[in-house]
Every structure is written in structure tokens, then in C-alpha cells.
Amino acid sequence: MRRVFLSEYLVLWLSLVYFAALAPFTPGFASWSNFQTILAYLLPLLVVAVGLTLVLIIGGIDLSVTSIIALASVVGGKIMSSEEGWLAGHALAVPAGLMAMLLVGVGIGMINGFAVTTCRIPAFIATLTTMMFVSGLAIWFTLSRKIGGLPPSFVMLGQKLWIAAVITGVATWLAHVTLARTLFGRWLYAIGHNAKAALVSGVPTARVTFATYVLCGLFAGLASILFTAGLETGNPEMARDNLLDVVGAVVIGGTSLYGGRGRVVGTVFGVLFLALVDNSLNLLGLNFYTVTMVKGGVILAAALLDAMRNKFLARG
């Protein structure tokens, strides 16, 4: 039991057990069409969760990721929309829109990184402030209106699940390789374990921390592309209710809230587990508030599990 408790595949086993337990009692839970629904929900959530994993490994936090998704969504919509887009009907509308959405993520990530490293503002306060400002900016920018008329060549990125799966798979694999096989990845773990010791050891902690927030913003911009293409609209409130899911999936996947520990594979399992829980509760006809309470309880249990695992590991 100890080996299972400390196993990095614990959440995957829990996901399989949960699915097997709920399938007989939840109509349509094991159907092919529902599998596609789970996948459509899971893919963009996984992209932004992978970016947040990098930040949590260094002992930071980024509460602005869902606000980045919303702002990138409306900026991309304003550029590409055939109804009101700045480049409506132009051959470069989609490439320009995609680039702008990614740059929004990178730009806000740079602001967060600058606030944390240069201004030395605690990450929680810095990213909370950014979240509030960016959310308001997205609503002001569109006057709370959704932007429709997005080009079919853009919409297919989210509507065709195999394309979204390829994009998500490549992004996730690159993050995994970065953590597991590069010097930058080792630096992230070193900062998370002990930032002062890492600095004394020659790790450029400020530059690495700054780059990590930029990468997190980039992943949020990429997630915005998948969210926006899947829903076919630029929405100033895009993913507003998904922050709990993103943070929860990363924590459930085994990334420590204390920094220094976490893997991309674990985040994949965490997103899968949370997607199964969310989908099954909706199929059972529970209301939004009940679903939120249950997910909050699951995330709390994951945080307690993380604390217990840390104690076991500390004892060797």
C-alpha cells in the first residue's frame, strides 16, 4: 500500500477505478460520443495546466492564466472575425490572429515575471492583480460582447479533435522533455527545492523564474486558441470558471504546492481525473454549485494527500 500511495501513477489508477465504478450507474458515461466530449474539454485544459506545472515546480503560482485565455480570445477574434475583424477576409487574418493570441500570453507572462523577479512582489499578489486587470481589460475591450464569424480554417483547430490532440500532444511532450532532459528543467527543480541554495550554486534564478512565467503565459495563449476555436467565438469571459480546474488538476497530478516536485505526466493524469469527475457529475444532472463543491472537495483531498506524501518522503 505504501508503494501504491507513493507511486507516480496513483492518480491514473484512481481515474480507472472511478471510471469503472461510475460507468454502470451513469447513463452515457462510457459511450464514444461522451469520450469525445471529455476529450474536447480535456485538451485545452491540459495545455494551460502544463504551463502552470512549470510555475508550481519553482514554488510560484500564476492565477492569471484563465484571464490570459480570455484576453487572447477576444484579441484573436478582433483580428480574424469576418464580421468585425481588423483583417476580415484577408489571407493573413488567421496567421496574424494566432500570432497575436500567443503574443498576448507571452506579454502578460513577461509582466508577471518582471513583477515577481525585479519588483519582488509575491507571486500570489502579482498574478492576482494581473488576473483582475486583464479580466477587466478583456470585458472593456469588447464591451462584454462575444465575437463571432471566426474563419473556418481557424475553427477547425478546435473542432477537429485529432488536430487539437496533435497540438496538445506536441506542447505536452516538449514540456516533458524540457523538465526531464534539459539543464533548464534541472534548474526549475533546484529553484523549487531551495532558491537561495540554487543561486549560490550558480543557477540564474531570476532569469529562470522570469522565463518560467513567460512559458506559462505562452501555454495559456495556446490554450486560448483551442478554447476559442472549439467554441467558435471570441469570449471576454472565456475559461473564467476553469481556474479551479487548472490548479486542481496540477495538484491532483502530484505537483507539490511547496515547489521542487512535479511531472508533466502527473499533470496529464490529474487533468484526466478531474475531467472524468466533472463529466460524470454533469451527466448525473447535478447543478453547477454542487459540481463546484464536489470538485473543491476533491482538490482539498489532493492537497492533503500531497502533504502526507511529503511527510512520507521526508522520512525516507
Side-chain angles (χ1 to χ4, degrees), residues 6-236:
L6 296 178
S7 171
E8 59 188 23
Y9 297 103
L10 174 63
V11 180
L12 177 60
W13 306 135
L14 291 176
S15 299
L16 295 175
V17 170
Y18 183 86
F19 179 81
L22 269 288
F25 309 103
T26 309
F29 189 41
S31 66
W32 173 250
S33 61
N34 189 58
F35 171 76
Q36 292 177 303
T37 300
I38 293 174
L39 192 61
Y41 169 80
L42 181 150
L43 292 175
L45 189 67
L46 176 57
V47 173
V48 66
V50 167
L52 186 61
T53 300
L54 304 179
V55 172
L56 286 182
I57 285 175
I58 65 171
I61 187 67
D62 189 348
L63 301 177
S64 68
V65 287
T66 52
S67 299
I68 293 174
I69 291 172
L71 183 60
S73 177
V74 296
V75 170
K78 276 290 188 181
I79 293 173
M80 295 181 288
S81 174
S82 60
E83 299 172 358
E84 54 182 295
W86 299 326
L87 295 178
H90 197 283
L92 295 177
V94 173
L98 293 174
M99 183 61 66
M101 296 174 79
L102 295 176
L103 288 177
V104 167
V106 169
I108 298 175
M110 292 175 68
I111 293 173
N112 287 333
F114 178 80
V116 171
T117 59
T118 303
C119 301
R120 300 188 181 278
I121 300 174
F124 182 90
I125 299 300
T127 58
L128 176 64
T129 304
T130 304
M131 177 189 72
M132 297 170 63
F133 177 80
V134 172
S135 295
L137 179 61
I139 294 174
W140 171 82
F141 185 61
T142 60
L143 301 178
S144 297
R145 294 184 299 105
K146 296 180 180 179
I147 303 172
L150 300 182
S153 57
F154 171 77
V155 171
M156 67 182 293
L157 298 177
Q159 292 289 311
K160 293 186 180 296
L161 287 180
W162 72 268
I163 297 178
V166 169
I167 294 172
T168 303
V170 171
T172 303
W173 178 78
L174 289 174
H176 169 72
V177 171
T178 298
L179 282 177
R181 300 188 178 183
T182 68
L183 178 61
F184 182 78
R186 291 195 291 271
W187 282 348
L188 295 184
Y189 288 111
I191 293 172
H193 280 296
N194 190 321
K196 291 183 178 179
L199 179 62
V200 172
S201 300
V203 177
T205 56
R207 284 186 291 166
V208 172
T209 300
F210 179 84
T212 304
Y213 279 97
V214 173
L215 284 174
C216 185
L218 176 63
F219 274 84
L222 181 59
S224 180
I225 292 173
L226 298 180
F227 271 116
T228 305
L231 298 176
E232 303 184 40
T233 56
N235 188 345

